[in-house]
Amino acid sequence: MGSSALPLILLMSLVHSGLSQVKPVLTVTPDQRVFSGERVTLICDIPTNIPWIYRWFRDGHINPFITTPYCSFTADASHRGEYSCRGESLYLYTDFSDGVTLTVSDKPTLTVKPQSSVFTGDTVTLSCDVGRSTGWTFLWWKDAHWESSYYTRTKTISSVRVSDGGPYWCRAQRGNYNTENSNAIQITVSERPKPVVKVKPDVRVFRGERVTLTCDIQETGVWTYSWYKDQDNSSRTDQIYHSAGQHQIYIITSVDSSHAGLYRCRGTQTETQQHSEISDGVTLTVSDLQPKPELTSDPAGAALTGNTVTLTCRMNLTRDWDIYWYKHTLNPETEKTQTHSYSLKIDSVSDGGQYWCRAGRGKPVYYTQYSDALWVNVTVSPKAVVTVRPDERVFRGETVTLRCDIKWAGDTEWTYRWEIEGTNDRYKNTVSRTSTQELIISSVDLSHSGEYTCTGLIHTLSSQRSDAVTLTVSAEAQASLRVSPQPWLTEGESVTLICEVSGSSTGWTFSWFRDHDHLSDSSRGAGGSYTLSPAALQHTGVYTCRAERGRPAYYTHNSSSHTLWLTGVSASVSLVIDPSRSQHFSSQSLSLSCVDQSNSAGWTVRRYTDTHTQTCAKQTGSGCVIDSLSTSDSGVYWCESESGEKRRPRNITVHDGEVILESSVDPVIEGETLTLHCLHRSTNSPISSADFYKDGSLIQNQTTGEMSITTVSKSHEGFYSCKTERGQSLHSWISVTEVFNGQISVYKILSFLLAASPYLLATVVLLFKCYRARVSSAEDQSQYAVTEE
């Protein structure tokens, strides 16, 4: 390089050095913070007259496409960044301008102070934030309605109301450009909560009790609590009596008169410092007098065992006290209840005695004084007794009276409770209450059947419940008639007709009928028995009976009929039986004959078996022979004249077994000796060892097969039988003839089968129609016609 070139280089260096100190100024219109859609212009101002080429940079990267001193574009998110510029001319460069950060936002930011959730009366400030840019006008909306009265960046609502709550948003306007709507903020306005002061155990307390005051705020959040004492609503709330922090309770461990007064409270939220209202005042009263309860009982008089006595501990106090009960015993036990009443079940006389009570509440327990002692006197409860008229077993249509009797020396003003455990759904577990002793059912039906009990009541006391009486109601009452000892007899003998009502035996009177005519001497049948002694020929006929009882009278149906057949006494005619006994073995022979000392001719042996009346088989004159007996030959045999007179009926029994009882076919005369034998079929002679029975009861055992009664009396009448190891005989009726007025009333031995025999001859014997004739003289004998079947 020549010497001429050196000064040019130095000159260029000096120029460049001077230009490098030139710094462009970069400006942004309308502002560095813009919103999407706004037109932005950046101007690069270089304070020299040199023609420059302008170079633009964003975030340090050159934009080769723009060389002008300004740059203009419609902003969007892609234009965000730091912009700078510089000038360039040949080999000359200016310094870089200061960087300008362009912020492109989508919409303004809406904020709220102090918070979006407030109480009525608070102040709320909303701010529409567009950064530090200027020249904006602000538009506000609430609940989608434009609020034309506000154009500033902030919107303040003083003393908010519930109606001020809702969604808010804003928009900014600059020139002809409007931003998008801001984010929405929901303002929630709640009524300012008002605490409630609660006091435990009560606003009225006693000296020494533990008192707990609670400031109850029904609002979520974290609160601190302040207490005020003896201040009204207009008092200053900064004069705090007690600060409880975050504890909503204030405890006074042992109150005295200084704690009495008016208490209020208020809460403050710890995060927002929002205050609740101040509560209404609660007045705490402190009494120095320890209360004393009064103990009473219901009933107040004597208590009956089996009942319940209610003890009441009376106090002029609230119901939040526990009641403690005491009884004077060797080992006193305390019971606690939450009610002022205590039910004392009186099981025995020992449950009586002295009782006390007192009240207590709180922890530790504060007790009242003891009540005065109360004596509970206990008496054994009487037991009710139910009686029934006419009977416990009745028939449909009868009138039934149930009576409840209580024997007790005390108050007799009883009322009565009847309980019925019925046999059907209609009366099951029915309870009726009446002031009278008698429960009258005027016309019972089947539905009244059941168990009846009663209980007596005096005020709240009751007697012991009676034992149950079972009332049985049957559909209809039927009288039944039976004859003892048998319906066949000879005049002068005795016979008893027995009238019974099936299923009932109490309170009946009886009426008797012969041939459907009412017998005027029915009183002879009082108690259900009608006796003919001695029986006469005119007593022959068809007999029935009927029973009645109650007022109004209830009548049974008439009984079935029974025929009494009486035959005349004739010393000259007798029925001879060979062998002479009433019981006979089957397959053996039997001979019967009619013997008339004056005239044996004209008499025939007749019989009645289980089927019909007939003449005895193999009749020869006045006799009859049965070669091989069978059980069908059992029946009544008698002598009958050609004119129809009947004499000497005797009962013959044929047995298929191995043992029979041997006894005379004729009655035993009172005072004579009665001898009985037990015979065996194979030997037809007395058995060596046998037991003898009368009316089913053993009277002699392990005998020699023979039993004797040396002096017979009327008491020896009855059914006799014997038993051996080989078998048992049938039963035979032994009659005893009494001796009176120098005459003998002849009885027959009626033998008939009572067991194992198909023929019940004693009750169905000879149902014939008998006709009576007038007795024309003492010697005349009544004549009877027998209809053969």
Side-chain angles (χ1 to χ4, degrees), residues 195-207:
V196 175
V197 174
K198 298 178 180 179
V199 183
K200 284 187 177 181
D202 193 13
V203 295
R204 180 185 175 188
V205 293
F206 300 91
R207 186 178 58 188

Side-chain angles (χ1 to χ4, degrees), residues 570-637:
S570 174
S572 61
V573 179
S574 61
L575 178 62
V576 179
I577 302 173
D578 185 22
S580 180
R581 60 185 183 229
S582 59
Q583 291 188 20
H584 300 268
F585 290 113
S586 60
S587 302
Q588 295 184 354
S589 62
L590 175 65
S591 173
L592 303 101
S593 60
C594 292
V595 177
D596 187 347
Q597 296 177 4
S598 60
N599 180 17
S600 61
W603 293 95
T604 304
V605 177
R606 299 273 286 169
R607 72 175 184 177
Y608 175 79
T609 61
D610 64 314
T611 56
H612 55 280
T613 301
Q614 61 183 169
T615 301
C616 182
K618 294 185 180 181
Q619 188 80 27
T620 56
S622 298
C624 167
V625 176
I626 303 174
D627 294 328
S628 180
L629 289 167
S630 67
T631 55
S632 62
D633 292 315
S634 295
V636 178
Y637 291 75

Side-chain angles (χ1 to χ4, degrees), residues 119-124 156-162 164 189 192:
F119 296 131
T120 54
D122 286 345
T123 297
V124 176
T156 300
I157 308 172
S158 301
S159 189
V160 295
R161 298 168 297 175
V162 174
D164 291 325
V189 181
R192 187 176 301 278

Side-chain angles (χ1 to χ4, degrees), residues 488-491 537 565-575 594-596 603-606 636-641 643-650 779-784:
W488 289 81
L489 64 158
T490 303
E491 60 177 338
L537 295 177
W565 189 6
L566 282 94
T567 61
V569 176
S570 174
S572 61
V573 179
S574 61
L575 178 62
C594 292
V595 177
D596 187 347
W603 293 95
T604 304
V605 177
R606 299 273 286 169
V636 178
Y637 291 75
W638 67 92
C639 294
E640 188 171 322
S641 67
S643 61
E645 291 183 87
K646 304 173 185 64
R647 296 291 185 269
R648 303 294 187 180
R650 297 290 184 266
E779 289 79 15
D780 260 347
Q781 300 296 323
S782 298
Q783 304 299 314
Y784 298 93

Side-chain angles (χ1 to χ4, degrees), residues 537-538 771-776 781-784:
L537 295 177
Q538 65 267 25
Y771 300 92
R772 291 183 298 175
R774 295 180 180 272
V775 179
S776 58
Q781 300 296 323
S782 298
Q783 304 299 314
Y784 298 93

Side-chain angles (χ1 to χ4, degrees), residues 657-686:
E658 297 296 314
V659 176
I660 63 174
L661 179 69
E662 181 183 45
S663 61
S664 172
V665 294
D666 295 319
V668 181
I669 298 174
E670 197 172 31
E672 293 185 348
T673 299
L674 170 64
T675 301
L676 303 174
H677 297 90
C678 203
L679 303 182
H680 190 261
R681 176 187 292 273
S682 61
T683 61
N684 205 21
S685 60

Side-chain angles (χ1 to χ4, degrees), residues 304-307 381-386 404-406 414 417-422 429-431 450-457 461-469:
L304 300 179
T305 57
N307 287 268
S381 176
K383 185 173 183 179
V385 176
V386 174
C404 188
D405 287 305
I406 302 172
W414 296 91
R417 182 178 63 215
W418 291 91
E419 297 182 47
I420 308 167
E421 185 74 23
N429 296 324
T430 298
V431 176
E451 292 186 349
Y452 288 73
T453 56
C454 75
T455 306
L457 305 173
L461 296 178
S462 64
S463 69
Q464 296 184 55
R465 186 179 178 182
S466 70
D467 293 332
V469 171

Side-chain angles (χ1 to χ4, degrees), residues 189-368:
V189 181
S190 303
E191 292 286 353
R192 187 176 301 278
K194 185 174 183 178
V196 175
V197 174
K198 298 178 180 179
V199 183
K200 284 187 177 181
D202 193 13
V203 295
R204 180 185 175 188
V205 293
F206 300 91
R207 186 178 58 188
E209 282 197 88
R210 177 187 177 97
V211 177
T212 299
L213 297 98
T214 302
C215 189
D216 187 15
I217 301 177
Q218 297 295 320
E219 183 69 35
T220 58
V222 180
W223 297 86
T224 58
Y225 300 89
S226 300
W227 290 92
Y228 306 89
K229 183 173 180 289
D230 297 330
Q231 296 181 12
D232 57 24
N233 288 330
S234 61
S235 299
R236 294 177 56 191
T237 57
D238 57 350
Q239 296 178 351
I240 298 174
Y241 175 72
H242 175 74
S243 294
Q246 293 185 3
H247 299 286
Q248 67 180 134
I249 62 173
Y250 169 43
I251 298 175
I252 307 173
T253 56
S254 180
V255 296
D256 56 34
S257 58
S258 67
H259 295 105
L262 183 72
Y263 287 82
R264 300 175 185 272
C265 73
R266 187 175 72 170
T268 302
Q269 286 194 334
T270 56
E271 294 181 357
T272 63
Q273 294 301 304
Q274 287 179 287
H275 297 289
S276 72
E277 291 188 35
I278 192 166
S279 72
D280 291 333
V282 173
T283 300
L284 182 67
T285 302
V286 181
S287 176
D288 289 335
L289 179 63
Q290 187 181 19
K292 180 179 180 179
E294 177 188 6
L295 182 60
T296 60
S297 66
D298 184 21
L304 300 179
T305 57
N307 287 268
T308 298
V309 173
T310 300
L311 302 178
T312 302
C313 198
R314 300 182 183 277
M315 295 187 301
N316 187 24
L317 300 174
T318 58
R319 292 185 175 272
D320 56 351
W321 293 78
D322 291 326
I323 308 300
Y324 297 83
W325 305 90
Y326 306 88
K327 181 185 178 184
H328 178 67
T329 60
L330 293 177
N331 298 305
E333 295 182 359
T334 303
E335 290 194 47
K336 182 177 75 172
T337 64
Q338 293 181 337
T339 63
H340 288 225
S341 296
Y342 176 68
S343 293
L344 179 63
K345 184 67 171 64
I346 306 297
D347 294 319
S348 65
V349 175
S350 63
D351 290 322
Q354 283 185 309
Y355 287 83
W356 295 268
C357 73
R358 66 172 175 169
R361 67 179 178 185
K363 291 184 179 180
V365 179
Y366 172 84
Y367 292 100
T368 66

